[in-house]
Amino acid sequence: DAEITQSPRHKITETGRQVTLACHQTWNHNNMFWYRQDLGHGLRLIHYSYGVQDTNKGEVSDGYSVSRSNTEDLPLTLESAASSQTSVYFCASSESRDRTQYFGPGTRLLVL
Amino acid sequence: AQSVSQHNHHVILSEAASLELGCNYSYGGTVNLFWYVQYPGQHLQLLLKYFSGDPLVKGIKGFEAEFIKSKFSFNLRKPSVQWSDTAEYFCAVNEGGSYIPTFGRGTSLIVHP
């Protein structure tokens, strides 16, 4: 069965460190997204990609970057982790014909 | 910019009670509408969606939603909730031909057995 996986599932890091969260999908979807989920804010879009070599900023992109070198993967990098980036991060993908989002299991990140 | 409002942030019900969760959006053009559910400790998954046609949409687990264009609403309903419906519910709207959804802030539903 097609799926979307994220790793690690839990991460503790220190302020100032670079952190990369992995996202891998086997749906063969063109569109991939990164969200953060915080209490009281719901889901907020960080970055998204419509295909290989395409990346775009979302509403809360400061301090984050992504790269898309193939269809399956969209890693999210926190350049210099800050305590404000403590959150749960969800990766999602969708195909162009059907805008339904398929979500990964999430990564819980704690920045100390 | 598009906004999506979910008016009920926390809802507590007893089993067998009826449920209605509100969702309103601000975009005046063509929209695609979604309800996603997040069970405790799990990822979000699709509950139901509306693209066109019959404005009354039926989803999984007995849920349904009605698109009322004149009210910019897409409310979620279930006639009789179960303890297993305890979850967080998110409304999402794609405006026009956009692939990017705008999510509401979510409604936390607790169902007491």
Side-chain angles (χ1 to χ4, degrees):
Chain A
D1 284 348
E3 62 176 353
I4 182 165
T5 57
Q6 294 182 234
S7 62
R9 295 294 312 279
H10 303 271
K11 175 78 176 177
I12 301 174
T13 191
E14 296 176 342
T15 302
R17 289 189 180 267
Q18 184 180 79
V19 176
T20 296
L21 309 182
C23 174
H24 179 81
Q25 54 102 358
T26 58
W27 291 100
N28 199 33
H29 288 163
N30 287 329
N31 308 322
M32 295 186 72
F33 309 80
W34 272 105
Y35 298 92
R36 58 178 291 174
Q37 183 180 29
D38 303 288
L39 205 60
H41 290 279
L43 286 164
R44 292 184 291 175
L45 183 64
I46 305 172
H47 281 285
Y48 60 99
S49 167
Y50 290 146
V52 177
Q53 302 300 334
D54 175 76
T55 61
N56 306 278
K57 294 181 179 181
E59 66 174 296
V60 290
S61 61
D62 286 351
Y64 303 95
S65 64
V66 292
S67 61
R68 185 93 180 268
S69 58
N70 58 51
T71 301
E72 295 80 18
D73 298 289
L74 187 70
L76 177 71
T77 297
L78 286 68
E79 305 292 347
S80 177
S83 57
S84 60
Q85 295 177 308
T86 291
S87 186
V88 180
Y89 291 86
F90 286 99
C91 181
S93 69
S94 72
E95 65 172 15
S96 298
R97 287 178 303 156
D98 181 331
R99 295 165 176 79
T100 300
Q101 301 243 314
Y102 295 81
F103 286 86
T107 294
R108 191 173 295 271
L109 177 68
L110 175 61
V111 182
L112 298 174
Chain B
Q2 163 81 273
S3 67
V4 178
S5 299
Q6 291 183 241
H7 311 296
N8 317 101
H9 295 148
H10 301 279
V11 175
I12 301 173
L13 296 173
S14 298
E15 274 194 320
S18 64
L19 170 72
E20 180 158 4
L21 301 182
C23 174
N24 287 89
Y25 60 93
S26 60
Y27 184 67
T30 302
V31 291
N32 303 136
L33 302 162
F34 303 83
W35 276 98
Y36 291 90
V37 60
Q38 185 179 28
Y39 297 106
Q42 296 188 27
H43 60 282
L44 281 84
Q45 56 188 285
L46 181 70
L47 202 54
L48 49 78
K49 63 186 177 185
Y50 172 81
F51 277 24
S52 64
D54 188 343
L56 184 61
V57 179
K58 295 192 184 299
I60 61 172
K61 303 187 178 184
F63 285 90
E64 65 179 30
E66 185 174 13
F67 170 48
I68 303 179
K69 188 175 182 179
S70 61
K71 294 185 178 180
F72 300 91
S73 70
F74 189 55
N75 292 354
L76 181 70
R77 300 194 293 247
K78 186 170 184 178
S80 176
V81 294
Q82 300 173 314
W83 174 79
S84 58
D85 293 325
T86 293
E88 188 130 13
Y89 293 82
F90 292 91
C91 180
V93 179
N94 288 53
E95 62 181 76
S98 175
Y99 300 121
I100 303 171
T102 300
F103 283 87
R105 290 191 174 186
T107 297
S108 174
L109 171 66
I110 296 174
V111 180
H112 288 298

